Amino acid sequence: MTDNLITGIYPGTFDPVTFGHLDIIQRASHIVNKLIISVAENKHKKPFFKIDERIIMIKESLNGIDTKNCDINVVGFDNLLVEHAKKCEAKVIIRGLRAVADFEYEFQMAGMNSKLGPEIETIFLMASENLQLTSARFVKEIALYDGEINNFVPDNVLKMFEIKRKEK
């Protein structure tokens, strides 16, 4: 029976985790038996939140979603995605697509990953219609200008933004 177990990874910066991310997580949990949410350190993107803060926000956000019988783990990584996937024994990489603009980049990345790890498949999940415009980058920008982001992120993420503002 264990031959039928499929481990997938859902990688991203998650700076911060949004309802769009959670939608992909919930839907991916219906496809794989084990889902590893892989939080990229991604120092070249200069994340607003530290990696440990992003991991905590994701873990807390998972409390409110239905993930069926899928085992979910949240981990950080700072190496090539394919190497991380191999280390996790993942058979699939889950990627979310919001719009056509995402497709070209994701298509190129999937092609490179296929060359580096041909045994690992990439699965694209389209964002749900009501979440297609949600972008962590835009959410962060709105929040930094004291705009309302409660329609885009869970309550625990709102609280983390408040904490960060007080630290500055």
Side-chain angles (χ1 to χ4, degrees), residues 27-97:
R27 291 169 46 219
S29 74
H30 300 267
I31 298 169
V32 298
N33 307 94
K34 181 177 183 179
L35 182 63
I36 301 168
I37 303 166
S38 300
V39 183
E41 179 69 35
N42 240 344
K43 291 178 184 169
H44 70 277
K45 278 190 172 182
K46 298 179 182 166
F48 182 72
F49 291 103
K50 296 175 188 162
I51 192 166
D52 57 325
E53 293 170 326
R54 289 180 272 147
I55 290 170
I56 289 167
M57 284 189 289
I58 293 167
K59 286 180 178 179
E60 290 175 351
S61 298
L62 293 175
N63 292 334
I65 66 169
D66 174 21
T67 55
K68 298 281 182 203
N69 295 321
C70 183
D71 179 28
I72 296 184
N73 296 318
V74 184
V75 300
F77 77 104
D78 191 16
N79 59 336
L80 282 175
L81 176 56
V82 170
E83 294 307 315
H84 174 66
K86 289 176 184 177
K87 181 180 170 194
C88 294
E89 298 180 356
K91 293 181 181 177
V92 297
I93 296 170
I94 308 285
R95 298 296 293 168
L97 294 175

Side-chain angles (χ1 to χ4, degrees), residues 130-155:
N130 63 325
L131 298 167
Q132 287 178 351
L133 301 177
T134 303
S135 156
R137 185 183 60 173
F138 291 147
V139 167
K140 195 169 28 181
E141 189 170 335
I142 293 166
L144 294 176
Y145 284 101
D146 295 323
E148 284 293 322
I149 59 169
N150 56 325
N151 289 328
F152 308 111
V153 297
D155 289 341

